[in-house]
Amino acid sequence: MSRLAIITGAGSGLGKAICEVLSEVQGERPGGVAGEQIVCIAIARGPIADGPLDQITADLSRPHNWPAIVGPMLSDLEFSRITFFDIAAVLPHGAAQDADFKAKMDEAMRVNVTSPLAIARALAQIARSRTVPLDVVHISSGAALRPIANWGAYCASKAAAAMAWRVFEAENDFVTAHIIQPGVIATKMQQRLREEGDPNAAPRAALRSPHEVARDILRQCGFAP
């Protein structure tokens, strides 16, 4: 039996670090957690040269038939638990009065809310049919709790995502939602904010490495000692 991990945003940053640390954990503890193997499926916008063997190339800003994508991949696998890591996110800049704000809000909602939920719905169908639990690990942000000027699309979508996952858990007794705020991480998003001179970019000294954060998250989820 395997423990299945599906990770969005696996091409870089925290998502890539989660994949790497899961591989390290497997090597550190042969047989994985409680004798289980760990099978990773990476979801990213493009192929990952040094990533897991099982990959799904998909742009979360576009709709996809997720049951048709994940169903065949999981059909031949035996697993005791599914963990879905909801990591991919976009932060479109813009004030609510900007002419293109609707497009930015639409993009943020698709990537940060509706696409992850669509993936989880497909996984929930499989989990229910196999009678196995489904964990959702959502990487939230302080922006879900406080307003930040020109981050309206990000703030609103992150707040919506956290509530959506709580409702998803309430509706399904085999689902556990983990809403995690890991703090600021040294990712491309933070790099872009600094390059653009955004006053809300975190100071370099406050940034944690993706690998360090991934370790902490996986400990909370029972993957790493």
Side-chain angles (χ1 to χ4, degrees):
M1 296 290 283
S2 300
R3 187 167 180 179
L4 187 61
I6 297 97
I7 305 104
T8 67
S12 63
L14 182 59
K16 184 176 182 180
I18 289 284
C19 293
E20 291 171 349
V21 176
L22 283 171
S23 179
E24 293 169 10
V25 168
Q26 186 73 75
E28 292 164 5
R29 296 177 63 175
V33 179
E36 295 176 323
Q37 295 292 317
I38 301 172
V39 175
C40 291
I41 297 177
I43 301 177
R45 282 177 295 184
I48 309 167
D50 55 349
L53 293 177
D54 294 312
Q55 299 183 20
I56 297 171
T57 300
D59 183 347
L60 298 191
S61 69
R62 300 177 180 275
H64 298 280
N65 184 348
W66 288 106
I69 293 171
V70 300
M73 291 191 73
L74 274 56
S75 62
D76 294 331
L77 294 176
E78 295 291 335
F79 45 84
S80 59
R81 193 177 199 97
I82 303 173
T83 303
F84 174 52
F85 292 90
D86 173 27
I87 296 174
V90 293
L91 194 167
H93 275 105
Q97 292 300 103
D98 289 352
D100 61 349
F101 182 75
K102 181 183 183 300
K104 291 176 178 178
M105 178 65 87
D106 288 347
E107 179 192 16
M109 290 298 293
R110 285 193 300 269
V111 175
N112 300 350
V113 186
T114 55
S115 286
L117 276 169
I119 298 169
R121 290 178 61 203
L123 294 175
Q125 291 178 349
I126 295 168
R128 186 186 294 277
S129 68
R130 300 280 193 100
T131 321
V132 301
L134 168 63
D135 293 295
V136 174
V137 181
H138 169 63
I139 304 305
S140 189
S141 165
L145 303 175
R146 65 184 180 92
I148 302 174
N150 298 311
W151 286 26
Y154 184 71
C155 292
S157 60
K158 279 296 189 178
M163 180 54 71
W165 289 127
R166 293 187 180 102
V167 172
F168 193 68
E169 177 186 54
E171 293 173 344
N172 299 282
D173 60 7
F174 59 93
V175 172
T176 301
H178 307 263
I179 312 298
I180 298 176
Q181 288 192 25
V184 288
I185 310 170
T187 62
K188 289 181 179 179
M189 182 182 289
Q190 281 292 330
Q191 180 181 343
R192 180 171 61 83
L193 292 174
R194 286 194 300 275
E195 290 173 349
E196 294 176 353
D198 190 315
N200 296 295
R204 291 181 185 273
L207 298 175
R208 301 174 67 201
S209 75
H211 194 277
E212 177 188 3
V213 174
R215 276 272 172 187
D216 285 350
I217 291 169
L218 291 173
R219 286 191 194 100
Q220 293 182 56
C221 301
F223 276 97

